[in-house]
Amino acid sequence: MTLPYLTDDCIYYILQHLQDDRLTLFKCLLVNRFWCKSTIPLLYANPFANITEKNYSITLTLILCFNKAEILQLKNQLGSNQINNINFDKEHKPLFEYPKYLENYNNNTISSVIYKWFVKYVSDLSIFKKLYYEIIPIFLQSILRQSRNIKQLDISINLFYKESFKNFNFQNFTSNLTKLNLLSLNFQNFQPSGTDHSTVNEEIEQEFLRNITNICTNASKLLIKLARPYQHDTSNDLIITTTTLEKLCTIIQVQNKLKMFKIWDCHSLLNDILLSLEFQKHSLVYVEFTACDFSNVSLKRFNYLYNLEYLKFEYCKGILLNQCESLNFSSFKLKELSFKLNYWNVDVTSLMIKYLGASLQRLLVETPTKSLIENISMYCPNLIFLKIRICLRVDLSVIQLFKNLRTRILSITTLYDTDKFFINLANNISINIGKIFLFSYSRNSSKFLKFKEFLENCHNRFEMISLNYIIELEFLKIVLNYIERSNNSLKVLGMMKLGKELNDEELKLLNLIKAKGVEIVHYNTIYHDLCKFAF
């Protein structure tokens, strides 16, 4: 009998589906030579992600891939210190050029792994003083030299990393970035202990940004993080110079087809950033601002981004009502709009929804007011998904306006809630809503009573109900009663801790619910799929 035969293409396709299952991929290495050759690129595409202590030995693999010059540099830095299992005087030739398969280059992550490996295998404390400025840069530059498949380049531009690129010629790896999809520039106020601010070389930063401008022109996603890890330490405030911000604007402008742009902690020249985004008006569809100050910023610039579909504001401030008026003339048709913990009047959010709501399919807001809910009901006729975060106590009269919502899916997360809130919610849910998510931060005993009040007072025939509550006997009785009252309309029930051991009565009720055609799924699974931005 002839055994079934899989073509090489089929095997490779199967291996690709296993690329997130590293344990299985390591087993696939041992099947035969073809499987090994096909598996290595998948294993080393992002080898530093979710790495554990037992995998720190990848540092040794990187050393074995050093050229002679890099070996000599490392030997000089280590001096008389030896590393177990490495004989620098003996030539080592690895089976594969492992770094060339790297697709995700994140110098923070890579450096952390290398540092932890040295801590484990090198006992001389004097070496640790050299690690950040002298030793780790050898690894970073070696990886960049050898990589040919980089798709994500995440560079942290802080005191240590500026020095790491001091003598590195970026022009040497121009061809390495032809497949670049995501460019992330992270400005941090990171300073290894024992260093001095005088070591900062501003020219290194500017040279680095000039090279990035010339080389990285094909990114479809650009992330700029002007972050301060030590936000409460005023003595360590990070100062981003005007020259640096101008270079960042140029980087935005030179991208060929930028689709996604995210920026963190921008407090000056935001007008210039928005002006630069106009260069990407033909391709840009997603823009996200986090902790940005819009004081005296003209929102009119948004109107030129006629392909914009996704817009997100988190922890931002500075937008006034009069600034929103220009959005009334916007040319783009948003699909998704998100607001989270912004420091401006809630009427600003309400007015933006009025001007941008006509095309919205997904909307994320918080702390509902009468004007906010009225504008959502009136100006968002195509809304499919609405998420409301309630961080403060809400006037129950606002909940009564929920009956006018035209969305099909409603997600409510509450920090402050009462039994009356859930009773009012149950009595005022719009008949248009077929799927509902409820997340309460209350303790389980209190949560039970609130969800009980909701289900017992609700007259909607939901297709899906998802609650952040565990499976237990009394609650299953309430769910079963709701299913029978709603004429078996429920098809999906989301709950927490589905793996918990059930007693006989609980198991019996759960099977009765399933027998009525209800699929039991984990709350987090469906919540994550529906609540995340679609881009």
Side-chain angles (χ1 to χ4, degrees):
M1 177 179 176
T2 305
L3 292 173
Y5 174 75
L6 286 176
T7 64
D8 290 350
D9 287 343
C10 286
I11 294 171
Y12 185 68
Y13 186 73
I14 292 169
L15 291 173
Q16 281 186 312
H17 278 275
L18 295 171
Q19 59 184 340
D20 294 325
D21 186 353
R22 297 182 64 81
L23 185 62
T24 301
L25 283 178
F26 274 112
K27 295 176 181 178
C28 293
L29 285 173
L30 307 177
V31 176
N32 58 36
R33 181 174 294 181
F34 174 77
W35 281 58
C36 182
K37 289 175 64 177
S38 301
T39 302
I40 285 294
L42 299 175
L43 277 171
Y44 283 87
N46 191 13
F48 301 97
N50 302 317
I51 202 165
T52 59
E53 185 176 349
K54 66 179 181 180
N55 302 124
Y56 291 164
S57 58
I58 191 174
T59 304
L60 182 57
T61 303
L62 294 175
I63 294 174
L64 296 177
C65 294
F66 278 6
N67 61 24
K68 291 182 179 179
E70 290 157 353
I71 286 289
L72 183 59
Q73 282 182 283
L74 184 58
K75 284 178 64 176
N76 290 339
Q77 293 301 330
L78 291 175
S80 60
N81 294 282
Q82 295 298 314
I83 302 176
N84 294 338
N85 304 321
I86 298 183
N87 182 353
F88 289 116
D89 297 321
K90 182 180 178 181
E91 186 173 346
H92 299 273
K93 188 174 182 180
L95 292 175
F96 297 93
E97 299 174 74
Y98 299 101
K100 83 173 184 181
Y101 301 114
L102 188 72
E103 294 181 3
N104 188 348
Y105 180 95
N106 183 315
N107 60 354
N108 260 344
T109 305
I110 295 171
S111 299
S112 176
V113 171
I114 295 169
Y115 179 86
K116 290 173 182 176
W117 184 83
F118 271 93
V119 167
K120 185 175 181 180
Y121 289 101
V122 177
S123 57
D124 190 342
L125 294 178
S126 64
I127 293 297
F128 299 140
K129 296 179 181 179
K130 295 182 176 182
L131 265 178
Y132 277 113
Y133 283 101
E134 306 294 346
I135 295 177
I136 291 179
I138 301 172
F139 286 84
L140 296 178
Q141 295 184 18
S142 176
I143 294 170
L144 282 174
R145 175 184 60 79
Q146 297 175 75
S147 299
R148 295 291 182 271
N149 293 285
I150 295 178
K151 295 179 181 178
Q152 296 187 26
L153 183 66
D154 193 328
I155 299 289
S156 292
I157 307 171
N158 53 41
L159 301 185
F160 140 51
Y161 291 118
K162 288 177 187 177
E163 290 291 324
S164 72
F165 293 118
K166 187 172 183 179
N167 300 311
F168 191 60
N169 186 355
F170 280 85
Q171 302 299 327
N172 289 342
F173 74 97
T174 303
S175 60
N176 301 18
L177 300 176
T178 56
K179 299 179 181 179
L180 188 69
N181 175 50
L182 184 151
L183 172 61
S184 177
L185 301 175
N186 190 351
F187 293 78
Q188 297 178 348
N189 192 24
F190 170 84
Q191 184 179 8
S193 59
T195 62
D196 192 302
H197 278 285
S198 63
T199 60
V200 180
N201 189 330
E202 190 63 29
E203 292 181 5
I204 298 173
E205 178 180 298
Q206 298 306 317
E207 179 64 22
F208 170 81
L209 292 175
R210 274 194 295 272
N211 280 299
I212 286 292
T213 302
N214 294 330
I215 296 169
C216 302
T217 59
N218 292 312
S220 62
K221 299 176 183 179
L222 176 59
L223 286 62
I224 298 175
K225 302 178 183 180
L226 309 177
R228 298 188 188 105
Y230 308 109
Q231 293 190 16
H232 301 293
D233 183 357
T234 56
S235 64
N236 275 329
D237 275 354
L238 173 66
I239 299 176
I240 300 296
T241 65
T242 301
T243 305
T244 294
L245 283 170
E246 288 173 352
K247 288 284 194 307
L248 293 177
C249 288
T250 304
I251 291 172
I252 295 170
Q253 296 170 20
V254 300
Q255 301 309 311
N256 290 323
K257 288 186 178 181
L258 189 65
K259 292 183 179 180
M260 173 188 279
F261 176 75
K262 298 183 181 183
I263 187 165
W264 283 257
D265 219 358
C266 185
H267 298 281
S268 62
L269 291 184
L270 194 52
N271 272 315
D272 292 44
I273 294 290
L274 292 177
L275 182 63
S276 298
L277 290 178
E278 288 183 33
F279 285 76
Q280 304 298 332
K281 61 185 178 182
H282 300 294
S283 57
L284 193 64
V285 296
Y286 182 109
V287 176
E288 179 178 324
F289 299 95
T290 301
C292 292
D293 188 350
F294 283 84
S295 299
N296 301 315
V297 171
S298 173
L299 302 187
K300 185 179 179 180
R301 298 294 180 191
F302 282 106
N303 295 340
Y304 301 103
L305 307 178
Y306 55 79
N307 282 311
L308 191 63
E309 296 180 357
Y310 308 88
L311 182 58
K312 191 171 184 179
F313 299 93
E314 291 192 359
Y315 306 99
C316 294
K317 64 180 181 179
I319 297 182
L320 303 176
L321 285 171
N322 64 324
Q323 289 172 266
C324 299
E325 293 298 331
S326 60
L327 295 176
N328 192 26
F329 308 99
S330 60
S331 58
F332 53 84
K333 297 186 182 300
L334 284 184
K335 291 182 179 179
E336 303 189 16
L337 179 60
S338 176
F339 301 94
K340 181 180 178 182
L341 296 176
N342 296 298
Y343 304 98
W344 55 57
N345 192 299
V346 69
D347 289 338
V348 169
T349 299
S350 182
L351 190 57
M352 292 178 74
I353 289 171
K354 175 181 177 179
Y355 293 146
L356 303 176
S359 57
L360 283 181
Q361 297 176 21
R362 292 167 53 87
L363 175 62
L364 289 75
V365 296
E366 57 190 12
T367 312
T369 62
K370 182 179 179 181
S371 64
L372 183 65
I373 298 301
E374 285 178 343
N375 278 7
I376 293 173
S377 302
M378 189 179 304
Y379 298 107
C380 302
N382 298 301
L383 203 60
I384 296 173
F385 177 85
L386 173 62
K387 179 181 177 181
I388 301 176
R389 295 179 73 254
I390 300 174
C391 303
L392 302 170
R393 294 191 184 278
V394 176
D395 189 333
L396 294 180
S397 64
V398 174
I399 305 301
Q400 294 174 11
L401 298 175
F402 280 30
K403 64 178 68 173
N404 300 321
L405 292 172
R406 291 187 270 183
T407 186
R408 283 181 265 164
I409 306 171
L410 178 64
S411 170
I412 294 181
T413 300
T414 66
L415 296 175
Y416 301 96
D417 47 49
T418 62
D419 294 352
K420 284 186 177 181
F421 170 86
F422 280 92
I423 293 172
N424 274 268
L425 180 63
N427 289 325
N428 291 283
I429 288 288
S430 167
I431 59 173
N432 298 311
I433 296 171
K435 300 177 181 179
I436 188 164
F437 293 80
L438 296 177
F439 186 100
S440 172
Y441 282 96
S442 301
R443 292 177 295 180
N444 275 338
S445 57
S446 175
K447 197 183 301 181
F448 168 79
L449 295 174
K450 291 166 183 174
F451 288 160
K452 174 179 179 290
E453 295 287 4
F454 177 80
L455 290 176
E456 289 183 345
N457 288 276
C458 187
H459 303 290
N460 290 59
R461 295 183 176 182
F462 292 115
E463 174 190 339
M464 174 190 290
I465 297 176
S466 192
L467 312 166
N468 71 320
Y469 193 71
I470 60 175
I471 294 177
E472 62 177 18
L473 182 62
E474 293 304 315
F475 194 70
L476 290 176
K477 290 179 182 179
I478 296 169
V479 171
L480 189 58
N481 179 264
Y482 168 80
I483 293 171
E484 292 170 349
R485 283 194 299 108
S486 62
N487 198 24
N488 295 335
S489 63
L490 193 65
K491 302 302 177 187
V492 179
L493 175 64
M495 298 189 74
M496 305 286 282
K497 296 185 179 180
L498 298 186
K500 68 167 286 194
E501 188 174 343
L502 305 179
N503 60 40
D504 291 342
E505 287 186 87
E506 289 172 335
L507 193 58
K508 181 181 178 180
L509 281 178
L510 192 63
N511 288 332
L512 280 174
I513 291 172
K514 290 179 179 178
K516 291 184 177 293
V518 179
E519 180 185 3
I520 311 295
V521 296
H522 197 284
Y523 173 90
N524 287 337
T525 303
I526 50 176
Y527 181 81
H528 176 75
D529 290 343
L530 284 175
C531 293
K532 67 181 179 181
F533 266 58
F535 184 82

